[in-house]
Amino acid sequence: MKLIAFYFSIFVLLFSACSDSNTSSDGFELKGKLGNAHGDTLFLEQMGTDGLIQVDTAMLNENGEFTMNPVITEIGFYRLKTTDRNFATFIFDENQKVSITGDVADLGNSYTVEGSEDSKLFWEINMASAESYRKRDSLQKIFQAFVNMTQMDSLRIDSMSNELEKPYTQLVDEHSQYLKNFIEKHTSSFASLAAIQQLQADEFMDTYFKLDDGLFTKYPNSKYIKAFHDGVSSSRKLAVGTMAPEINMNTPAERPLALSSLKGRVVLIDFWASWCGPCRAENPNVVNVYNKYKSKGFDIYSVSLDKDMDKWKQAIKADGLTWNSHVCDFKFWQSPVVALYNFNAIPTNVLIDRDGKILAKNLRGEALDKKLEEVLK
């Protein structure tokens, strides 16, 4: 599967810091003093939308001190490292004077920074996120330890899992709400780009829109913000309540079939392929909801990313996909429908109402069943 975020994704929970509102006209400067230094070499890399670019190096002196004066012309993400496993992430802007302290052996967890408000906000996000993930990890370890210590049958394991699911879900929901509130309070902060990547776009699309509006207004020429803006702009076209874009491809009988031909029915647009293991695993659930709701005005429009006609037909038959609306253009990931519906992993689906307006996206299993029961009651 292609697993690429719809917006650029350069890091997740990288403990970091940086810059300052104290600026001057004689260029950017980064200086610091790090403990446990033994002639270590530091590398400063820009975390661009296309990858890492080394911009400066410095060797710590006998007191663990260093100074760097890289050329920085716009705000962006950077990381300071000794190795690829030992680094701290920063937000630097032009003309800033930044100073850090910490332990050279554990940069990401030990540093302090004097610098920009963005950096302090970024650190705040990381600390809150780390605490949330520690608590979730503890619950998982409790469950695993309990299973390992006792001879449990499947029913008792399921019962234990259900007991722990509620507090786990509560932790997830609480952290998501924290991130949402943080972003909507700081919609013009670069630090919010770190927070937004932890929120599911489909669930928090309004927050994505608010952040995009704030950042694009303040930084319209930033390559980071342009990348984020392009992704959000595509998603705006597919927001709940908007009309689903038209699709018109050929059926297995090599006749064109338009999505709009199903107008008047509630339709699940299901993107899949015969070669996609998770898609084939999900197909029984899709078949179940089709059989359950087809008499109530429900239909499925299956769009395949297959490359081979025979394999596509065989999968339709083998998985019991008995509805009539199957289409494919055999262009694989180069199919125009991928960009049109802004997805880069399958299975993916979009549920539309009888008028062709989007009701929900990426509903599976019980969630899809509940939504259809609500819509078709």
Side-chain angles (χ1 to χ4, degrees):
M1 307 308 99
K2 283 191 174 183
L3 298 176
I4 307 170
F6 81 79
Y7 51 89
F8 75 96
S9 181
I10 55 177
F11 58 87
V12 177
L13 279 179
L14 302 181
F15 287 34
S16 48
C18 69
S19 7
D20 191 292
S21 56
N22 299 321
T23 63
S24 70
S25 59
D26 53 353
F28 176 87
E29 180 182 75
L30 172 64
K31 62 182 180 179
K33 184 173 183 178
L34 302 175
N36 292 317
H38 303 284
D40 307 80
T41 299
L42 297 175
F43 304 88
L44 182 66
E45 298 174 326
Q46 182 179 13
M47 302 173 71
T49 56
D50 297 322
L52 297 169
I53 302 171
Q54 184 171 306
V55 296
D56 208 349
T57 62
M59 183 174 290
L60 299 177
N61 66 19
E62 63 274 12
N63 297 318
E65 298 168 333
F66 75 96
T67 300
M68 291 181 176
N69 297 101
V71 176
I72 292 178
T73 58
E74 65 171 342
I75 190 170
F77 293 94
Y78 293 79
R79 74 174 189 174
L80 186 68
K81 73 173 188 178
T82 57
T83 69
D84 286 338
R85 297 176 64 86
N86 180 36
F87 61 90
T89 308
F90 299 81
I91 304 171
F92 289 154
D93 203 354
E94 59 181 332
N95 295 326
Q96 292 179 333
K97 308 303 177 186
V98 181
S99 62
I100 66 171
T101 60
D103 186 329
V104 71
D106 189 16
L107 289 173
N109 294 308
S110 68
Y111 78 86
T112 62
V113 63
E114 294 297 328
S116 76
E117 181 64 21
D118 271 335
S119 301
K120 295 175 182 178
L121 293 174
F122 196 17
W123 177 253
E124 178 187 324
I125 296 165
N126 287 331
M127 291 299 96
S129 298
E131 180 63 19
S132 178
Y133 281 103
R134 275 194 291 269
K135 290 178 179 178
R136 293 183 224 176
D137 187 55
S138 294
L139 285 176
Q140 292 175 325
K141 287 179 178 177
I142 289 170
F143 175 71
Q144 192 59 52
F146 193 81
V147 171
N148 292 341
M149 287 189 303
T150 60
Q151 296 294 322
M152 300 177 68
D153 57 35
S154 60
L155 288 178
R156 293 179 65 201
I157 290 175
D158 288 343
S159 177
M160 180 67 175
S161 178
N162 291 336
E163 286 296 316
L164 292 176
E165 183 178 2
K166 184 176 180 180
Y168 186 92
T169 301
Q170 183 176 345
L171 287 173
V172 173
D173 291 344
E174 287 175 353
H175 188 55
S176 294
Q177 189 61 45
Y178 160 79
L179 293 169
K180 178 180 185 295
N181 293 339
F182 178 97
I183 293 164
E184 294 185 2
K185 184 179 179 181
H186 304 287
T187 54
S188 61
S189 172
F190 249 63
S192 290
L193 282 177
I196 199 72
Q197 295 187 55
Q198 299 180 58
L199 293 179
Q200 293 291 329
D202 290 343
E203 185 177 353
F204 293 95
M205 189 53 68
D206 285 347
T207 303
Y208 274 78
F209 293 161
K210 291 176 182 178
L211 180 59
D212 178 50
D213 291 340
L215 288 174
F216 196 65
T217 297
K218 187 174 182 179
Y219 302 107
N221 298 316
S222 166
K223 58 183 178 292
Y224 300 95
I225 305 310
K226 284 181 179 178
F228 180 70
H229 176 70
D230 288 347
V232 175
S233 295
S234 296
S235 293
R236 286 182 189 269
K237 300 174 184 177
L238 294 167
V240 171
T242 60
M243 291 296 296
E246 176 70 293
I247 303 173
N248 197 341
M249 296 181 182
N250 282 353
T251 67
E254 300 187 53
R255 290 192 292 268
L257 179 66
L259 172 63
S260 57
S261 68
L262 300 181
K263 188 174 182 179
R265 301 178 69 80
V266 172
V267 178
L268 182 72
I269 309 170
D270 187 32
F271 300 98
W272 75 297
S274 67
W275 47 261
C276 168
C279 302
R280 303 294 295 273
E282 180 64 18
N283 275 345
N285 293 326
V286 179
V287 170
N288 286 340
V289 294
Y290 176 71
N291 291 333
K292 184 175 181 179
Y293 295 106
K294 63 182 179 181
S295 63
K296 297 183 178 182
F298 173 64
D299 212 334
I300 299 175
Y301 186 83
S302 290
V303 183
S304 174
L305 298 190
D306 268 284
K307 296 183 290 185
D308 183 280
M309 170 77 84
D310 290 336
K311 291 181 179 178
W312 176 42
K313 288 182 176 180
Q314 290 167 10
I316 292 172
K317 183 177 181 180
D319 292 2
L321 312 184
T322 58
W323 48 94
N324 296 319
S325 304
H326 291 274
V327 297
C328 185
D329 61 9
F330 303 103
K331 295 180 180 178
F332 195 48
W333 284 105
Q334 285 68 51
S335 173
V337 77
V338 173
L340 184 65
Y341 275 80
N342 192 35
F343 67 91
N344 30 50
I346 51 176
T348 290
N349 63 52
V350 177
L351 185 67
I352 63 176
D353 67 14
R354 291 180 172 85
D355 296 320
K357 292 182 179 179
I358 296 174
L359 290 170
K361 292 181 282 187
N362 291 322
L363 296 177
R364 298 187 179 90
E366 184 180 353
L368 176 58
D369 194 328
K370 290 177 67 174
K371 185 65 176 180
L372 289 173
E373 184 178 18
E374 171 193 328
V375 172
L376 296 168
K377 60 182 178 183

